[in-house]
Amino acid sequence: MPRFSKSIRVPYGAAECFQLVSEIAKYPDFIRWITAMRVSGRRDVQPGVTECQGEAIVGFKGFTERFTTQVVADEPAKRVTACLVRGPFRKLFAEWRIFETVGGASDITLEIDYEFRNPVIGFLAAANHDLATDRILNAFLAEAQRRFAARAAP
């Protein structure tokens, strides 16, 4: 049952980073293996906290899977969580945390706890989870640079 966490420091503010991470409908625009994302049931839970379901279609090297998560975006806490609703996992929990640091930069942490139903896919995923997490974080970093670099320039 893999559980892992990775962090990166980015030269962007926590509000910008939260916006990027919480806009799950835009993930297919910058994460290559997410081929589609349908967002439904969006509602405000309390001020600054929204909840929705995200149904993702993921394609990688001939494999295509569909899964749905319940996503909670908590802007005051700068935290986004996703919990499994249905899909090829026995369990899935992902949490993004964003912390403002010195000089207007932010630390972004991604923690994932998952288990596939299919043990073969689980074995392959576990063997590659560091690479997959690095690619996810790098995709977010590249998108942040694309979106926010012009604003950060003098």
Side-chain angles (χ1 to χ4, degrees), residues 1 5-6 11-13 20 22 24 30 36-37 50 64 75 82-83 89 93 118 122 126 147-148 151 154:
M1 293 184 269
S5 180
K6 289 243 178 165
Y12 309 109
L20 176 64
S22 65
I24 65 170
F30 61 94
M37 175 71 75
T50 60
T64 300
E75 188 171 8
C83 297
F89 301 94
F93 176 79
N118 181 322
R147 286 191 195 185
F148 308 133
R151 284 191 249 163

Side-chain angles (χ1 to χ4, degrees), residues 50-132:
T50 60
E51 183 178 79
C52 67
Q53 283 197 351
E55 181 181 6
I57 299 174
V58 178
F60 186 74
K61 294 191 177 187
F63 290 100
T64 300
E65 291 288 349
R66 178 184 308 253
F67 64 94
T68 303
T69 56
Q70 188 72 23
V71 178
V72 177
D74 184 336
E75 188 171 8
K78 301 294 186 270
R79 185 177 120 172
V80 177
T81 59
C83 297
L84 180 66
V85 173
R86 66 183 154 275
F89 301 94
R90 190 176 318 277
K91 72 174 181 173
L92 171 64
F93 176 79
E95 179 178 55
W96 293 89
R97 290 180 312 239
I98 301 155
F99 304 98
E100 189 93 27
T101 63
V102 294
S106 297
D107 287 339
I108 301 174
T109 299
L110 171 60
E111 184 174 319
I112 301 175
D113 185 10
Y114 70 94
E115 182 179 357
F116 280 95
R117 292 185 197 283
N118 181 322
V120 173
I121 293 174
F123 176 77
L124 293 172
N128 292 293
H129 73 258
D130 279 333
L131 177 62

